Amino acid sequence: MATVAELILHPIRLRIVQALTGSPLSATELKDRLSDVPTSSVYRHLALLRGAGFVELDRTRTGRGPRETVYRLAKVTRLTGPDVEGISLGEHKRMFTTWVITLMQRFERYLDAAATKGSIDLTQDRVGYTEAVFHADEAEFDAFAEQLNRLLSPLLATPEGPGRRRRRLCTVTFPEE
């Protein structure tokens, strides 16, 4: 059986998890969001995530065709220390590379879509990327992380709605030597 990290940090499964973050979707909607992935692969990876308890049935709905099953994330997919214990240096590098490449692809899709609309306006779209270097001991860093989580919690619970745009905040923290 795959570890939690191996399960989530597969390129296709990571994209499924990201697509389901904050919005339940049917398999058809997932396939539309992952249009470059064969349908059979979407279903296979969705089944793996369901089997591991990361994805669950949200509801069924009827549309123009047969009843559709709508899925949602069943649990948070944040990796913690125990999730990656025993993973080799090479596996850590491979998994982090998968995450970074997926992030780059998502940003590239944003840029391509903005360019198709006629212009890329990072200010209007409230896009930014930066790096902050600071000094903190473990207690100070833990307090910072707790404050950040407190600030994010209400936004994570906000449903889709008019005027609300799906946004992504990505952070990577690590100590520098």
Side-chain angles (χ1 to χ4, degrees), residues 82-109:
D83 296 326
V84 295
E85 280 181 11
I87 293 177
S88 71
L89 173 65
E91 281 299 295
H92 276 293
K93 289 178 179 180
R94 183 188 63 75
M95 290 177 188
F96 185 75
T97 300
T98 297
W99 183 81
V100 170
I101 288 171
T102 302
L103 175 62
M104 290 169 54
Q105 290 169 337
R106 291 178 99 46
F107 192 71
E108 185 175 310
R109 281 193 292 273

Side-chain angles (χ1 to χ4, degrees), residues 34-146:
L34 283 73
S35 60
D36 58 319
V37 178
T39 302
S40 60
S41 291
V42 172
Y43 281 104
R44 184 174 62 253
H45 291 289
L46 183 59
L48 285 169
L49 289 166
R50 285 188 67 204
F54 283 97
V55 172
E56 65 187 7
L57 173 68
D58 183 67
R59 65 187 182 280
T60 57
R61 66 180 178 206
T62 53
R64 288 181 247 171
R67 292 178 64 84
E68 285 188 301
T69 302
V70 179
Y71 301 96
R72 69 172 175 246
L73 286 183
K75 59 174 120 175
V76 176
T77 55
R78 182 175 178 267
L79 297 176
T80 62
D83 296 326
V84 295
E85 280 181 11
I87 293 177
S88 71
L89 173 65
E91 281 299 295
H92 276 293
K93 289 178 179 180
R94 183 188 63 75
M95 290 177 188
F96 185 75
T97 300
T98 297
W99 183 81
V100 170
I101 288 171
T102 302
L103 175 62
M104 290 169 54
Q105 290 169 337
R106 291 178 99 46
F107 192 71
E108 185 175 310
R109 281 193 292 273
Y110 155 74
L111 291 173
D112 289 344
T116 300
K117 291 177 188 172
S119 70
I120 299 170
D121 190 338
L122 301 183
T123 302
Q124 179 180 337
D125 288 342
R126 277 116 176 131
V127 173
Y129 44 93
T130 188
E131 186 173 324
V133 178
F134 56 91
H135 297 88
D137 62 25
E138 276 70 16
E140 292 166 329
F141 184 78
D142 290 346
F144 163 76
E146 189 176 308

Side-chain angles (χ1 to χ4, degrees), residues 142-157:
D142 290 346
F144 163 76
E146 189 176 308
Q147 286 178 318
L148 182 60
N149 286 331
R150 233 185 345 263
L151 287 170
L152 282 173
S153 290
L155 291 173
L156 296 173

Side-chain angles (χ1 to χ4, degrees), residues 4-56:
V4 171
E6 291 167 331
L7 185 71
I8 293 171
L9 289 175
H10 179 281
I12 295 171
R13 290 189 292 270
L14 180 59
R15 289 178 61 195
I16 290 171
V17 166
Q18 289 172 336
L20 289 172
T21 299
S23 58
L25 299 169
S26 70
T28 302
E29 291 165 329
L30 274 172
K31 175 60 187 119
D32 290 345
R33 291 205 183 172
L34 283 73
S35 60
D36 58 319
V37 178
T39 302
S40 60
S41 291
V42 172
Y43 281 104
R44 184 174 62 253
H45 291 289
L46 183 59
L48 285 169
L49 289 166
R50 285 188 67 204
F54 283 97
V55 172
E56 65 187 7

